[in-house]
Amino acid sequence: MRGIGKKIGSGRILLALGVALACAGCSITPVPPRPVQHIVLMWLERPESAPDRAQLIRAARSLQMMPGVVRVETGRNVPSPSSQADRDFDLGVVITFRDRAALQRYEKNPRHADAMQRYLKPLVRRYVVYNLGTR
């Protein structure tokens, strides 16, 4: 009886080692974060003012330093031959965040609130924001 118990015990150990080695290559890969784009379209108080536009662009680009921000891009509306395209905004800003959590932290960040008060409110008469989850 003793020999049988030892065989069963060592068999269990070998089985456990085999399972462990087989699963070592089966590690679960974490799902990579999906970027989120924060798109802001602005209609300026004085659309013809190059200094106002430049100030808004500088303020937007300064947000690049915030944690979770991957890239900040700015630009003007490009006329489209399609009659369906809306062509009336003056300046667009696209901020790409590492993931949704980074966007949420950004929205609560005092630096974001400061930029809204110092630049957006005095220089922009209207704006719309879209958040686009990318794949």
Tab-separated table of all heavy atoms in Angstrom, residues 26-82:
chain	number	residue	atom	x	y	z
A	26	CYS	N	0.435	30.691	-21.455
A	26	CYS	CA	-0.949	31.097	-21.692
A	26	CYS	C	-1.330	32.318	-20.873
A	26	CYS	O	-2.481	32.491	-20.542
A	26	CYS	CB	-1.913	29.976	-21.301
A	26	CYS	SG	-1.581	28.381	-21.968
A	27	SER	N	-0.396	33.115	-20.507
A	27	SER	CA	-0.721	34.252	-19.652
A	27	SER	C	-1.722	35.169	-20.355
A	27	SER	O	-1.697	35.326	-21.563
A	27	SER	CB	0.533	35.022	-19.275
A	27	SER	OG	1.102	35.587	-20.427
A	28	ILE	N	-2.591	35.736	-19.594
A	28	ILE	CA	-3.623	36.620	-20.128
A	28	ILE	C	-2.995	37.978	-20.401
A	28	ILE	O	-2.390	38.577	-19.515
A	28	ILE	CB	-4.785	36.749	-19.145
A	28	ILE	CG1	-5.424	35.388	-18.946
A	28	ILE	CG2	-5.784	37.761	-19.632
A	28	ILE	CD1	-6.490	35.349	-17.886
A	29	THR	N	-3.106	38.407	-21.640
A	29	THR	CA	-2.549	39.711	-22.004
A	29	THR	C	-3.572	40.782	-21.668
A	29	THR	O	-4.727	40.659	-22.039
A	29	THR	CB	-2.261	39.776	-23.513
A	29	THR	OG1	-2.457	38.539	-24.114
A	29	THR	CG2	-0.926	40.311	-23.821
A	30	PRO	N	-3.146	41.815	-20.975
A	30	PRO	CA	-4.088	42.884	-20.658
A	30	PRO	C	-4.538	43.591	-21.934
A	30	PRO	O	-3.779	43.714	-22.886
A	30	PRO	CB	-3.290	43.836	-19.760
A	30	PRO	CG	-1.866	43.487	-19.995
A	30	PRO	CD	-1.814	42.074	-20.479
A	31	VAL	N	-5.775	44.020	-21.924
A	31	VAL	CA	-6.317	44.749	-23.069
A	31	VAL	C	-5.660	46.124	-23.100
A	31	VAL	O	-5.664	46.834	-22.090
A	31	VAL	CB	-7.845	44.888	-22.937
A	31	VAL	CG1	-8.414	45.717	-24.061
A	31	VAL	CG2	-8.499	43.528	-22.867
A	32	PRO	N	-5.050	46.497	-24.221
A	32	PRO	CA	-4.403	47.813	-24.271
A	32	PRO	C	-5.451	48.919	-24.179
A	32	PRO	O	-6.576	48.750	-24.642
A	32	PRO	CB	-3.712	47.820	-25.641
A	32	PRO	CG	-4.437	46.806	-26.447
A	32	PRO	CD	-4.968	45.789	-25.486
A	33	PRO	N	-5.085	50.028	-23.570
A	33	PRO	CA	-6.046	51.132	-23.464
A	33	PRO	C	-6.398	51.664	-24.849
A	33	PRO	O	-5.567	51.669	-25.751
A	33	PRO	CB	-5.309	52.187	-22.633
A	33	PRO	CG	-3.874	51.822	-22.726
A	33	PRO	CD	-3.792	50.355	-23.007
A	34	ARG	N	-7.620	52.078	-24.991
A	34	ARG	CA	-8.070	52.637	-26.259
A	34	ARG	C	-8.034	54.155	-26.178
A	34	ARG	O	-8.604	54.747	-25.265
A	34	ARG	CB	-9.488	52.175	-26.569
A	34	ARG	CG	-9.518	50.691	-26.868
A	34	ARG	CD	-10.773	50.336	-27.596
A	34	ARG	NE	-10.653	48.979	-28.087
A	34	ARG	CZ	-11.658	48.141	-28.135
A	34	ARG	NH1	-12.838	48.518	-27.747
A	34	ARG	NH2	-11.475	46.933	-28.603
A	35	PRO	N	-7.366	54.788	-27.130
A	35	PRO	CA	-7.289	56.251	-27.120
A	35	PRO	C	-8.674	56.893	-27.268
A	35	PRO	O	-9.580	56.306	-27.849
A	35	PRO	CB	-6.422	56.573	-28.335
A	35	PRO	CG	-5.698	55.314	-28.660
A	35	PRO	CD	-6.587	54.197	-28.217
A	36	VAL	N	-8.790	58.085	-26.735
A	36	VAL	CA	-10.005	58.886	-26.847
A	36	VAL	C	-9.596	60.239	-27.409
A	36	VAL	O	-8.608	60.827	-26.964
A	36	VAL	CB	-10.690	59.074	-25.476
A	36	VAL	CG1	-11.868	60.014	-25.568
A	36	VAL	CG2	-11.117	57.734	-24.901
A	37	GLN	N	-10.347	60.708	-28.391
A	37	GLN	CA	-10.075	62.032	-28.942
A	37	GLN	C	-11.140	63.006	-28.448
A	37	GLN	O	-12.335	62.736	-28.535
A	37	GLN	CB	-10.055	61.991	-30.464
A	37	GLN	CG	-8.841	61.248	-30.972
A	37	GLN	CD	-8.735	61.266	-32.466
A	37	GLN	OE1	-9.719	61.078	-33.169
A	37	GLN	NE2	-7.539	61.498	-32.968
A	38	HIS	N	-10.670	64.113	-27.926
A	38	HIS	CA	-11.501	65.196	-27.402
A	38	HIS	C	-11.459	66.291	-28.474
A	38	HIS	O	-10.406	66.905	-28.684
A	38	HIS	CB	-10.887	65.659	-26.083
A	38	HIS	CG	-11.638	66.702	-25.348
A	38	HIS	ND1	-12.858	66.476	-24.767
A	38	HIS	CD2	-11.315	67.989	-25.070
A	38	HIS	CE1	-13.255	67.582	-24.154
A	38	HIS	NE2	-12.335	68.516	-24.327
A	39	ILE	N	-12.554	66.490	-29.165
A	39	ILE	CA	-12.607	67.407	-30.306
A	39	ILE	C	-13.405	68.645	-29.905
A	39	ILE	O	-14.552	68.528	-29.469
A	39	ILE	CB	-13.261	66.716	-31.513
A	39	ILE	CG1	-12.484	65.447	-31.858
A	39	ILE	CG2	-13.357	67.672	-32.701
A	39	ILE	CD1	-13.239	64.483	-32.734
A	40	VAL	N	-12.770	69.808	-30.035
A	40	VAL	CA	-13.421	71.069	-29.675
A	40	VAL	C	-13.457	71.949	-30.929
A	40	VAL	O	-12.412	72.264	-31.500
A	40	VAL	CB	-12.656	71.795	-28.544
A	40	VAL	CG1	-13.393	73.066	-28.135
A	40	VAL	CG2	-12.438	70.878	-27.352
A	41	LEU	N	-14.664	72.323	-31.342
A	41	LEU	CA	-14.840	73.243	-32.467
A	41	LEU	C	-15.271	74.584	-31.897
A	41	LEU	O	-16.204	74.651	-31.084
A	41	LEU	CB	-15.885	72.705	-33.445
A	41	LEU	CG	-15.609	71.298	-33.987
A	41	LEU	CD1	-16.747	70.861	-34.903
A	41	LEU	CD2	-14.277	71.246	-34.704
A	42	MET	N	-14.582	75.646	-32.323
A	42	MET	CA	-14.806	76.970	-31.732
A	42	MET	C	-15.190	78.006	-32.780
A	42	MET	O	-14.661	78.002	-33.895
A	42	MET	CB	-13.532	77.446	-31.028
A	42	MET	CG	-13.144	76.602	-29.849
A	42	MET	SD	-11.559	77.123	-29.136
A	42	MET	CE	-10.487	75.886	-29.839
A	43	TRP	N	-16.068	78.889	-32.358
A	43	TRP	CA	-16.426	80.068	-33.135
A	43	TRP	C	-15.915	81.262	-32.322
A	43	TRP	O	-16.345	81.480	-31.189
A	43	TRP	CB	-17.939	80.142	-33.304
A	43	TRP	CG	-18.467	79.091	-34.231
A	43	TRP	CD1	-18.786	79.263	-35.550
A	43	TRP	CD2	-18.739	77.716	-33.935
A	43	TRP	NE1	-19.236	78.070	-36.083
A	43	TRP	CE2	-19.205	77.109	-35.112
A	43	TRP	CE3	-18.609	76.922	-32.793
A	43	TRP	CZ2	-19.566	75.769	-35.179
A	43	TRP	CZ3	-18.972	75.579	-32.856
A	43	TRP	CH2	-19.436	75.030	-34.043
A	44	LEU	N	-14.971	81.986	-32.865
A	44	LEU	CA	-14.302	83.051	-32.127
A	44	LEU	C	-15.146	84.314	-32.056
A	44	LEU	O	-15.925	84.609	-32.971
A	44	LEU	CB	-12.955	83.372	-32.783
A	44	LEU	CG	-11.998	82.187	-32.972
A	44	LEU	CD1	-10.690	82.663	-33.583
A	44	LEU	CD2	-11.767	81.454	-31.680
A	45	GLU	N	-14.930	85.084	-30.993
A	45	GLU	CA	-15.587	86.389	-30.871
A	45	GLU	C	-15.150	87.294	-32.017
A	45	GLU	O	-15.953	88.020	-32.578
A	45	GLU	CB	-15.230	87.052	-29.528
A	45	GLU	CG	-15.905	86.452	-28.329
A	45	GLU	CD	-17.378	86.773	-28.230
A	45	GLU	OE1	-17.906	87.622	-28.986
A	45	GLU	OE2	-18.033	86.141	-27.389
A	46	ARG	N	-13.852	87.235	-32.320
A	46	ARG	CA	-13.297	88.043	-33.422
A	46	ARG	C	-12.537	87.100	-34.365
A	46	ARG	O	-11.323	86.938	-34.252
A	46	ARG	CB	-12.362	89.114	-32.856
A	46	ARG	CG	-13.087	90.067	-31.889
A	46	ARG	CD	-12.193	91.121	-31.305
A	46	ARG	NE	-10.990	90.534	-30.693
A	46	ARG	CZ	-9.933	91.220	-30.350
A	46	ARG	NH1	-9.889	92.518	-30.552
A	46	ARG	NH2	-8.899	90.638	-29.797
A	47	PRO	N	-13.247	86.468	-35.301
A	47	PRO	CA	-12.621	85.466	-36.171
A	47	PRO	C	-11.451	86.003	-36.999
A	47	PRO	O	-10.553	85.257	-37.363
A	47	PRO	CB	-13.751	85.002	-37.082
A	47	PRO	CG	-14.991	85.624	-36.596
A	47	PRO	CD	-14.649	86.638	-35.562
A	48	GLU	N	-11.443	87.301	-37.246
A	48	GLU	CA	-10.371	87.896	-38.058
A	48	GLU	C	-9.113	88.204	-37.246
A	48	GLU	O	-8.072	88.540	-37.804
A	48	GLU	CB	-10.884	89.178	-38.729
A	48	GLU	CG	-11.138	90.350	-37.781
A	48	GLU	CD	-12.353	90.230	-36.849
A	48	GLU	OE1	-13.257	89.417	-37.100
A	48	GLU	OE2	-12.382	90.971	-35.850
A	49	SER	N	-9.178	88.035	-35.932
A	49	SER	CA	-8.059	88.385	-35.057
A	49	SER	C	-7.013	87.265	-35.001
A	49	SER	O	-7.207	86.238	-34.336
A	49	SER	CB	-8.568	88.693	-33.649
A	49	SER	OG	-7.480	88.857	-32.771
A	50	ALA	N	-5.905	87.491	-35.681
A	50	ALA	CA	-4.796	86.512	-35.655
A	50	ALA	C	-4.219	86.357	-34.245
A	50	ALA	O	-3.902	85.231	-33.838
A	50	ALA	CB	-3.722	86.919	-36.656
A	51	PRO	N	-4.068	87.451	-33.457
A	51	PRO	CA	-3.550	87.287	-32.089
A	51	PRO	C	-4.461	86.430	-31.199
A	51	PRO	O	-3.971	85.626	-30.408
A	51	PRO	CB	-3.441	88.717	-31.557
A	51	PRO	CG	-3.309	89.562	-32.782
A	51	PRO	CD	-4.145	88.881	-33.825
A	52	ASP	N	-5.780	86.588	-31.341
A	52	ASP	CA	-6.700	85.773	-30.545
A	52	ASP	C	-6.545	84.292	-30.911
A	52	ASP	O	-6.465	83.426	-30.043
A	52	ASP	CB	-8.153	86.192	-30.782
A	52	ASP	CG	-8.503	87.511	-30.118
A	52	ASP	OD1	-7.621	88.127	-29.480
A	52	ASP	OD2	-9.672	87.935	-30.260
A	53	ARG	N	-6.498	84.016	-32.205
A	53	ARG	CA	-6.345	82.641	-32.684
A	53	ARG	C	-5.019	82.048	-32.181
A	53	ARG	O	-4.977	80.931	-31.686
A	53	ARG	CB	-6.398	82.622	-34.211
A	53	ARG	CG	-6.419	81.233	-34.812
A	53	ARG	CD	-6.460	81.302	-36.332
A	53	ARG	NE	-7.528	82.135	-36.851
A	53	ARG	CZ	-8.757	81.715	-37.114
A	53	ARG	NH1	-9.057	80.460	-36.938
A	53	ARG	NH2	-9.675	82.553	-37.566
A	54	ALA	N	-3.949	82.837	-32.275
A	54	ALA	CA	-2.627	82.377	-31.829
A	54	ALA	C	-2.629	82.089	-30.325
A	54	ALA	O	-2.024	81.109	-29.876
A	54	ALA	CB	-1.558	83.402	-32.177
A	55	GLN	N	-3.297	82.922	-29.558
A	55	GLN	CA	-3.360	82.716	-28.106
A	55	GLN	C	-4.105	81.419	-27.775
A	55	GLN	O	-3.674	80.653	-26.911
A	55	GLN	CB	-4.042	83.910	-27.440
A	55	GLN	CG	-3.960	83.878	-25.940
A	55	GLN	CD	-4.444	85.162	-25.308
A	55	GLN	OE1	-5.161	85.948	-25.923
A	55	GLN	NE2	-4.061	85.379	-24.073
A	56	LEU	N	-5.191	81.159	-28.475
A	56	LEU	CA	-5.936	79.920	-28.256
A	56	LEU	C	-5.110	78.697	-28.644
A	56	LEU	O	-5.123	77.666	-27.957
A	56	LEU	CB	-7.248	79.943	-29.044
A	56	LEU	CG	-8.336	80.830	-28.446
A	56	LEU	CD1	-9.443	81.088	-29.470
A	56	LEU	CD2	-8.900	80.201	-27.185
A	57	ILE	N	-4.372	78.805	-29.732
A	57	ILE	CA	-3.525	77.690	-30.179
A	57	ILE	C	-2.432	77.419	-29.157
A	57	ILE	O	-2.164	76.264	-28.802
A	57	ILE	CB	-2.954	77.973	-31.584
A	57	ILE	CG1	-4.089	77.900	-32.620
A	57	ILE	CG2	-1.824	77.012	-31.927
A	57	ILE	CD1	-3.710	78.390	-34.009
A	58	ARG	N	-1.802	78.479	-28.644
A	58	ARG	CA	-0.759	78.294	-27.610
A	58	ARG	C	-1.346	77.639	-26.360
A	58	ARG	O	-0.747	76.733	-25.773
A	58	ARG	CB	-0.103	79.625	-27.255
A	58	ARG	CG	0.976	80.066	-28.201
A	58	ARG	CD	1.776	81.236	-27.655
A	58	ARG	NE	0.972	82.379	-27.240
A	58	ARG	CZ	0.530	83.338	-28.071
A	58	ARG	NH1	0.834	83.299	-29.351
A	58	ARG	NH2	-0.192	84.332	-27.616
A	59	ALA	N	-2.525	78.113	-25.955
A	59	ALA	CA	-3.169	77.549	-24.762
A	59	ALA	C	-3.493	76.075	-24.975
A	59	ALA	O	-3.255	75.243	-24.092
A	59	ALA	CB	-4.433	78.331	-24.435
A	60	ALA	N	-3.993	75.731	-26.156
A	60	ALA	CA	-4.326	74.327	-26.451
A	60	ALA	C	-3.067	73.466	-26.436
A	60	ALA	O	-3.042	72.390	-25.847
A	60	ALA	CB	-5.029	74.238	-27.802
A	61	ARG	N	-2.016	73.950	-27.062
A	61	ARG	CA	-0.779	73.160	-27.131
A	61	ARG	C	-0.128	72.995	-25.765
A	61	ARG	O	0.572	72.015	-25.523
A	61	ARG	CB	0.179	73.780	-28.132
A	61	ARG	CG	-0.314	73.579	-29.552
A	61	ARG	CD	0.663	74.043	-30.575
A	61	ARG	NE	0.132	73.799	-31.912
A	61	ARG	CZ	0.471	74.492	-32.978
A	61	ARG	NH1	1.356	75.467	-32.878
A	61	ARG	NH2	-0.060	74.219	-34.142
A	62	SER	N	-0.359	73.931	-24.863
A	62	SER	CA	0.213	73.808	-23.516
A	62	SER	C	-0.414	72.631	-22.760
A	62	SER	O	0.179	72.113	-21.815
A	62	SER	CB	0.027	75.099	-22.724
A	62	SER	OG	-1.314	75.229	-22.273
A	63	LEU	N	-1.590	72.198	-23.195
A	63	LEU	CA	-2.249	71.063	-22.546
A	63	LEU	C	-1.525	69.750	-22.827
A	63	LEU	O	-1.770	68.746	-22.165
A	63	LEU	CB	-3.712	70.981	-22.998
A	63	LEU	CG	-4.562	72.204	-22.646
A	63	LEU	CD1	-5.938	72.084	-23.272
A	63	LEU	CD2	-4.653	72.407	-21.145
A	64	GLN	N	-0.623	69.762	-23.797
A	64	GLN	CA	0.184	68.580	-24.138
A	64	GLN	C	0.964	68.072	-22.921
A	64	GLN	O	1.266	66.890	-22.826
A	64	GLN	CB	1.152	68.937	-25.272
A	64	GLN	CG	2.100	67.834	-25.664
A	64	GLN	CD	1.457	66.766	-26.520
A	64	GLN	OE1	0.743	67.080	-27.448
A	64	GLN	NE2	1.707	65.519	-26.218
A	65	MET	N	1.269	68.962	-21.995
A	65	MET	CA	2.071	68.603	-20.828
A	65	MET	C	1.270	67.864	-19.750
A	65	MET	O	1.846	67.359	-18.801
A	65	MET	CB	2.686	69.864	-20.212
A	65	MET	CG	3.475	70.700	-21.220
A	65	MET	SD	4.660	69.743	-22.160
A	65	MET	CE	6.037	69.840	-21.079
A	66	MET	N	-0.036	67.806	-19.904
A	66	MET	CA	-0.867	67.167	-18.878
A	66	MET	C	-0.746	65.647	-18.956
A	66	MET	O	-0.619	65.082	-20.040
A	66	MET	CB	-2.325	67.605	-19.039
A	66	MET	CG	-2.519	69.072	-18.719
A	66	MET	SD	-4.229	69.600	-18.883
A	66	MET	CE	-4.974	68.700	-17.560
A	67	PRO	N	-0.794	64.974	-17.818
A	67	PRO	CA	-0.703	63.514	-17.810
A	67	PRO	C	-1.832	62.885	-18.632
A	67	PRO	O	-2.979	63.305	-18.549
A	67	PRO	CB	-0.864	63.146	-16.328
A	67	PRO	CG	-0.591	64.394	-15.578
A	67	PRO	CD	-0.938	65.537	-16.480
A	68	GLY	N	-1.488	61.890	-19.417
A	68	GLY	CA	-2.477	61.167	-20.204
A	68	GLY	C	-2.735	61.742	-21.583
A	68	GLY	O	-3.386	61.114	-22.409
A	69	VAL	N	-2.209	62.964	-21.846
A	69	VAL	CA	-2.379	63.570	-23.165
A	69	VAL	C	-1.297	63.015	-24.079
A	69	VAL	O	-0.110	63.096	-23.782
A	69	VAL	CB	-2.304	65.110	-23.102
A	69	VAL	CG1	-2.321	65.721	-24.503
A	69	VAL	CG2	-3.449	65.663	-22.265
A	70	VAL	N	-1.725	62.459	-25.191
A	70	VAL	CA	-0.800	61.879	-26.162
A	70	VAL	C	-0.396	62.912	-27.209
A	70	VAL	O	0.765	63.029	-27.574
A	70	VAL	CB	-1.431	60.650	-26.856
A	70	VAL	CG1	-0.544	60.102	-27.954
A	70	VAL	CG2	-1.782	59.587	-25.836
A	71	ARG	N	-1.385	63.683	-27.667
A	71	ARG	CA	-1.106	64.642	-28.745
A	71	ARG	C	-2.172	65.734	-28.732
A	71	ARG	O	-3.321	65.482	-28.406
A	71	ARG	CB	-1.124	63.897	-30.082
A	71	ARG	CG	-0.875	64.737	-31.293
A	71	ARG	CD	-0.766	63.947	-32.621
A	71	ARG	NE	-1.860	63.013	-32.845
A	71	ARG	CZ	-1.749	61.676	-32.789
A	71	ARG	NH1	-0.599	61.113	-32.486
A	71	ARG	NH2	-2.774	60.893	-33.022
A	72	VAL	N	-1.765	66.944	-29.134
A	72	VAL	CA	-2.690	68.062	-29.306
A	72	VAL	C	-2.488	68.607	-30.712
A	72	VAL	O	-1.365	68.904	-31.115
A	72	VAL	CB	-2.442	69.188	-28.268
A	72	VAL	CG1	-3.342	70.387	-28.539
A	72	VAL	CG2	-2.637	68.674	-26.854
A	73	GLU	N	-3.581	68.714	-31.450
A	73	GLU	CA	-3.528	69.257	-32.804
A	73	GLU	C	-4.541	70.395	-32.923
A	73	GLU	O	-5.607	70.341	-32.310
A	73	GLU	CB	-3.857	68.178	-33.838
A	73	GLU	CG	-2.890	67.000	-33.787
A	73	GLU	CD	-3.348	65.850	-34.639
A	73	GLU	OE1	-4.148	65.038	-34.143
A	73	GLU	OE2	-2.916	65.788	-35.810
A	74	THR	N	-4.190	71.395	-33.694
A	74	THR	CA	-5.099	72.513	-33.928
A	74	THR	C	-5.189	72.760	-35.429
A	74	THR	O	-4.282	72.411	-36.184
A	74	THR	CB	-4.599	73.801	-33.245
A	74	THR	OG1	-3.331	74.149	-33.789
A	74	THR	CG2	-4.471	73.628	-31.737
A	75	GLY	N	-6.285	73.369	-35.840
A	75	GLY	CA	-6.407	73.683	-37.256
A	75	GLY	C	-7.699	74.419	-37.560
A	75	GLY	O	-8.588	74.554	-36.715
A	76	ARG	N	-7.757	74.885	-38.776
A	76	ARG	CA	-8.946	75.580	-39.273
A	76	ARG	C	-9.801	74.621	-40.088
A	76	ARG	O	-9.344	73.584	-40.533
A	76	ARG	CB	-8.535	76.737	-40.170
A	76	ARG	CG	-7.834	77.846	-39.435
A	76	ARG	CD	-7.515	78.951	-40.405
A	76	ARG	NE	-6.931	80.072	-39.705
A	76	ARG	CZ	-6.824	81.267	-40.228
A	76	ARG	NH1	-7.222	81.511	-41.451
A	76	ARG	NH2	-6.290	82.241	-39.519
A	77	ASN	N	-11.004	75.029	-40.315
A	77	ASN	CA	-11.918	74.264	-41.141
A	77	ASN	C	-11.394	74.229	-42.579
A	77	ASN	O	-10.964	75.248	-43.110
A	77	ASN	CB	-13.302	74.927	-41.094
A	77	ASN	CG	-14.350	74.113	-41.794
A	77	ASN	OD1	-14.201	72.905	-41.957
A	77	ASN	ND2	-15.413	74.760	-42.206
A	78	VAL	N	-11.409	73.061	-43.181
A	78	VAL	CA	-11.002	72.915	-44.577
A	78	VAL	C	-12.276	72.836	-45.409
A	78	VAL	O	-13.099	71.945	-45.189
A	78	VAL	CB	-10.163	71.631	-44.773
A	78	VAL	CG1	-9.826	71.427	-46.241
A	78	VAL	CG2	-8.908	71.700	-43.929
A	79	PRO	N	-12.451	73.756	-46.353
A	79	PRO	CA	-13.671	73.718	-47.168
A	79	PRO	C	-13.801	72.380	-47.895
A	79	PRO	O	-12.825	71.815	-48.375
A	79	PRO	CB	-13.479	74.856	-48.165
A	79	PRO	CG	-12.468	75.751	-47.531
A	79	PRO	CD	-11.585	74.860	-46.699
A	80	SER	N	-15.015	71.884	-47.927
A	80	SER	CA	-15.290	70.610	-48.571
A	80	SER	C	-16.196	70.834	-49.773
A	80	SER	O	-17.088	71.681	-49.731
A	80	SER	CB	-15.981	69.686	-47.568
A	80	SER	OG	-16.444	68.529	-48.200
A	81	PRO	N	-15.987	70.079	-50.841
A	81	PRO	CA	-16.865	70.232	-51.995
A	81	PRO	C	-18.282	69.743	-51.707
A	81	PRO	O	-19.212	70.104	-52.407
A	81	PRO	CB	-16.203	69.372	-53.077
A	81	PRO	CG	-15.256	68.480	-52.379
A	81	PRO	CD	-14.924	69.123	-51.070
A	82	SER	N	-18.447	68.956	-50.637
A	82	SER	CA	-19.767	68.436	-50.298
A	82	SER	C	-20.637	69.539	-49.713
A	82	SER	O	-20.219	70.277	-48.831
A	82	SER	CB	-19.621	67.305	-49.283
A	82	SER	OG	-20.881	66.963	-48.765
